[in-house]
Amino acid sequence: MNRKWKHHAEAYLYISPSVILTVALGIYPILWALRYMFYDYKGYGEATFVGLYNFRRLFRDEYLWDAIWNTFVFAGGKMLLTLPVALLLAVILNGKLKGRNLLRGIYFMPTIFSTAVMAVVFYIIFNTYNGLLNQLLKLAGLPTLEWLGTEYAMLTCILIAAWGGIGNYMLLFLAGLQGIPKDVYESAELDGATGARRFWSITIPMLGPVLNIIMMLAIMSALESYEAIMVLTGGGPSGATEVMHLYLYKLLFPVSTGESMAQDIGYGSAVAMLLALIVGAITGIYLYLSRKLNDVHS
Amino acid sequence: MKRMTGRLLMWAFLLTAAALLLLPIGLAVLGSLKTNQELTAGTAILPQAWQFDNYGYTWKEAKFSVYVWNSVIYSVGATLTTLAVCALAAYAAARKTFPGRKLMLAVYSAMMFIHMGVLTLKPAYQLMVELGLHKSVFGLIIMMTGAGGTTFFILYAFIRGISRDLDEAAMIDGAGSFYIFSRIILPLCTPALGVVALFAFRGAWNNYILPLVFTMSQPDLQPLTVGLANIRYGFGGAVQSHLMLAGACISMIPMLLIYVLANKSFVQMNVGALKG
């Protein structure tokens, strides 16, 4: 009995730093938000209980729903651009190829740099007046674009997100591809299957489970990213690139972005809860649909 | 003939992708060596005279020496704490049975899917204020410590893969569990620890939102990312793009060096993240 107790005590001692940090910085904030979403709390003074007021406000907040819509556009655009390119690169690099490691190193490189730092660099590149990209376009005799204007700002944000994401997903796809046994391809080749046929009939189905995990990661990270946009456009011009988590940031820490909004923690808590639910629901629906699709195939 | 066009198309695709991914970095490096006039006029791709002084100016006048120093402290500190905290917890969860073990694993995996965004930083900040740590380097290191998540699960999976024979032999010889952890398990974990350390270092070095929120009123505690993004709004009046690019390059160089030296581990890192 005594020995068992010592065994447990040791285990608790070892996990305690991790558990204390997880509770304090992970679980406590969730409980905190669950409380404050029912309060009117501006970050100073007393918090007053307002019941479901913050939730009623959610539905009236058109700016929030615009931001949610922008997030879908951003996430959809980023995934449409990133995933096919990343998969194609992975499939090519999975074969025998000269300079394979060097190319892999180059494609992955953008992912090692800070999103915020790169957003500063991209600001200088995409700036409409004297931006480096427009300078290059001028030198080449091509028309210039207002990359950060209302019309193209979202496209620019998507391009930048794809720039930072392609290498990461390429590597994840490569990991999945390496799990497919080589002899499957060899026998298909003997049977005369072409490259495209091999891709659709072997690569995609056999990538299945890994593909699901990658898609889930891609959905979650695309819906939750805002750092690059915050530094690049701050959500502007006139809300064109306002994504939902950036809006949440402004509700909670308005000072740092020079926003004229007032800090609103009670409402921010309700917004955070809604956003977590949206991301959870979308990944849940995706998993459900993909499982159904898998059932059809097998 | 058809094969040749196929190969040509493939290489065209590969090289275009490489060029587009490298272009922004190349533009940043070249731009950081131009004068501001040259950069805004944009008449040539290469600098007329290479302005290495930009780096000296950024380092001294724009306080980048302070930012770099802070970034180094946070990144090294957070990497060490993350490794220590996660390795200990992963060892206990993988090797010991105790009431609550299953609950702990379930909560840790659930936490990887519940994201409240920046909201978590508000109560965490207030907690640090109450502990008197909100104006200290230690508060930031604690905040940046990854106590669970991917790091924990990679180490957990790795330790479970190590044969128990070794621990049991040591236990029969009378070794205590901390001795087994530090002398047997940790050395065997070196490859996984290396990968996880890279992961943690990259995360801390590149972290922006957390130090931004925590150092809003303490410019002397700001790391590179925050310092650089702040001068985007102009310092000393005018916007000085060439200095901003020099600052960006100062932030990129250490990661680039680590990447070149540890390329293999970086590649493993993401594979591990997928399987873990």
Side-chain angles (χ1 to χ4, degrees):
Chain A
M1 189 61 214
N2 193 22
R3 245 193 88 189
K4 197 173 169 190
W5 186 85
K6 193 186 164 222
H7 184 82
H8 289 167
E10 269 173 1
Y12 288 135
L13 187 66
Y14 293 163
I15 62 167
S16 58
S18 167
V19 168
I20 290 170
L21 281 174
T22 305
V23 169
L25 306 177
I27 296 170
Y28 164 69
I30 297 176
L31 300 176
W32 188 89
L34 280 172
R35 172 171 180 255
Y36 278 107
M37 64 188 191
F38 297 110
Y39 282 79
D40 178 27
Y41 181 45
K42 307 285 184 211
Y44 51 85
E46 287 292 300
T48 43
F49 185 79
V50 290
L52 292 176
Y53 171 76
N54 286 328
F55 294 91
R56 283 201 296 275
R57 225 181 113 184
L58 281 178
F59 292 99
R60 281 187 276 116
D61 189 350
E62 278 172 36
Y63 197 77
L64 169 67
W65 294 101
D66 284 347
I68 291 172
W69 172 247
N70 285 341
T71 311
F72 290 161
V73 172
F74 170 78
K78 180 190 171 185
M79 286 169 60
L80 273 178
L81 193 59
T82 308
L83 296 175
V85 175
L87 181 59
L88 197 53
L89 288 174
V91 168
I92 294 174
L93 292 188
N94 196 37
K96 287 191 200 95
L97 195 76
K98 255 188 200 146
R100 187 170 72 164
N101 288 338
L102 178 68
L103 284 173
R104 199 159 65 178
I106 291 173
Y107 298 143
F108 188 68
M109 199 161 79
T111 64
I112 62 170
F113 300 124
S114 158
T115 319
V117 168
M118 283 319 294
V120 171
V121 171
F122 278 118
Y123 175 74
I124 295 168
I125 290 177
F126 282 108
N127 203 356
T128 307
Y129 307 101
N130 309 318
L132 301 183
L133 181 61
N134 276 349
Q135 288 175 7
L136 284 180
L137 290 173
K138 259 187 223 160
L139 280 179
L142 294 167
T144 58
L145 271 185
E146 275 194 49
W147 294 101
L148 298 177
T150 325
E151 218 174 324
Y152 296 107
M154 182 54 98
L155 178 71
T156 305
C157 289
I158 291 171
L159 288 176
I160 291 170
W163 181 85
I166 283 175
N168 190 30
Y169 290 104
M170 174 203 72
L171 220 63
L172 293 175
F173 282 131
L174 261 175
L177 289 173
Q178 273 153 16
I180 302 177
K182 289 270 182 293
D183 44 344
V184 183
Y185 285 105
E186 280 158 15
S187 57
E189 213 169 344
L190 285 178
D191 290 345
T194 59
R197 184 68 205 274
R198 287 202 298 270
F199 177 77
W200 290 112
S201 306
I202 303 174
T203 308
I204 294 293
M206 291 202 74
L207 211 51
V210 177
L211 198 65
N212 274 348
I213 300 177
I214 295 174
M215 283 293 289
M216 214 177 67
L217 287 175
I219 294 173
M220 284 175 66
S221 77
L223 289 175
E224 285 169 355
S225 70
Y226 65 99
E227 223 178 279
I229 298 178
M230 179 167 144
V231 178
L232 188 75
T233 66
S238 56
T241 55
E242 190 79 82
V243 287
M244 57 191 197
H245 272 276
L246 179 56
Y247 179 57
L248 175 64
Y249 182 94
K250 288 175 180 173
L251 282 171
L252 298 169
F253 302 99
V255 192
S256 63
T257 50
E259 221 50 44
S260 54
M261 277 160 68
Q263 176 172 260
D264 201 338
I265 290 172
Y267 182 56
S269 301
V271 170
M273 212 52 78
L274 176 73
L275 301 192
L277 280 178
I278 288 176
V279 176
I282 289 173
T283 39
I285 291 169
Y286 170 75
L287 282 180
Y288 176 76
L289 289 178
S290 65
R291 191 167 298 166
K292 276 206 138 174
L293 278 176
N294 282 351
D295 287 347
V296 172
H297 275 294
S298 55
Chain B
M1 190 59 212
K2 206 180 154 198
R3 234 190 114 108
M4 273 291 283
T5 10
R7 286 202 80 76
L8 217 63
L9 273 177
M10 185 189 85
W11 276 103
F13 173 68
L14 287 178
L15 294 178
T16 315
L20 286 177
L21 291 179
L22 286 178
L23 184 69
I25 300 166
L27 286 175
V29 173
L30 289 175
S32 74
L33 294 165
K34 291 178 180 175
T35 63
N36 204 25
Q37 286 92 329
E38 213 182 334
L39 195 67
T40 37
T43 39
I45 291 167
L46 290 179
Q48 282 160 341
W50 301 74
Q51 304 289 327
F52 291 102
D53 287 355
N54 287 351
Y55 283 83
Y57 187 86
T58 316
W59 184 260
K60 278 191 230 113
E61 306 296 318
K63 287 209 308 184
F64 267 65
S65 50
V66 178
Y67 299 146
V68 169
W69 179 236
N70 288 337
S71 274
V72 169
I73 292 178
Y74 300 148
S75 315
V76 173
T79 306
L80 292 178
T81 49
T82 302
L83 286 190
V85 167
C86 287
L88 269 173
Y91 168 64
R95 280 295 198 255
K96 293 180 176 291
T97 46
F98 52 89
R101 178 178 165 276
K102 282 224 169 98
L103 176 72
M104 173 186 159
L105 290 174
V107 171
Y108 276 35
S109 25
M111 293 294 290
M112 289 171 75
F113 293 95
I114 305 171
H115 296 159
M116 307 288 285
V118 73
L119 181 103
T120 45
L121 294 185
K122 201 88 212 180
Y125 184 76
Q126 291 184 353
L127 207 63
M128 289 293 157
V129 171
E130 266 159 50
L131 293 171
L133 286 171
H134 62 297
K135 286 186 176 171
S136 100
V137 174
F138 297 109
L140 265 146
I141 292 178
I142 292 172
M143 284 299 302
M144 285 193 197
T145 301
T150 345
T151 316
F152 170 81
F153 281 107
I154 289 176
L155 292 176
Y156 173 70
F158 199 88
I159 294 173
R160 277 171 72 95
I162 298 172
S163 161
R164 274 175 188 266
D165 297 351
L166 289 167
D167 318 22
E168 274 156 19
M171 222 177 315
I172 291 165
D173 289 346
S177 71
F178 190 76
Y179 185 89
I180 295 174
F181 168 69
S182 58
R183 296 295 168 86
I184 297 174
I185 299 292
L186 272 191
L188 287 172
C189 277
T190 319
L193 286 173
V195 168
V196 169
L198 271 179
F199 211 156
F201 187 89
R202 179 181 72 168
W205 183 266
N206 291 340
N207 201 337
Y208 171 63
I209 302 286
L210 194 152
L212 173 68
V213 167
F214 267 68
T215 60
M216 226 172 280
S217 52
Q218 280 113 19
D220 287 340
L221 286 183
Q222 284 170 352
L224 265 171
T225 47
V226 178
L228 182 69
N230 278 349
I231 61 169
R232 166 178 162 344
Y233 303 107
F235 78 111
V239 175
Q240 300 185 300
S241 302
H242 61 312
L243 299 182
M244 276 155 69
L245 289 178
C249 290
I250 290 177
S251 152
M252 281 150 64
I253 289 163
M255 280 315 294
L256 206 58
L257 284 177
I258 294 173
Y259 183 55
V260 171
L261 292 176
N263 187 286
K264 268 220 174 97
S265 301
F266 257 110
V267 173
Q268 280 168 358
M269 165 182 95
N270 281 56
V271 176
L274 183 66
K275 289 178 179 158

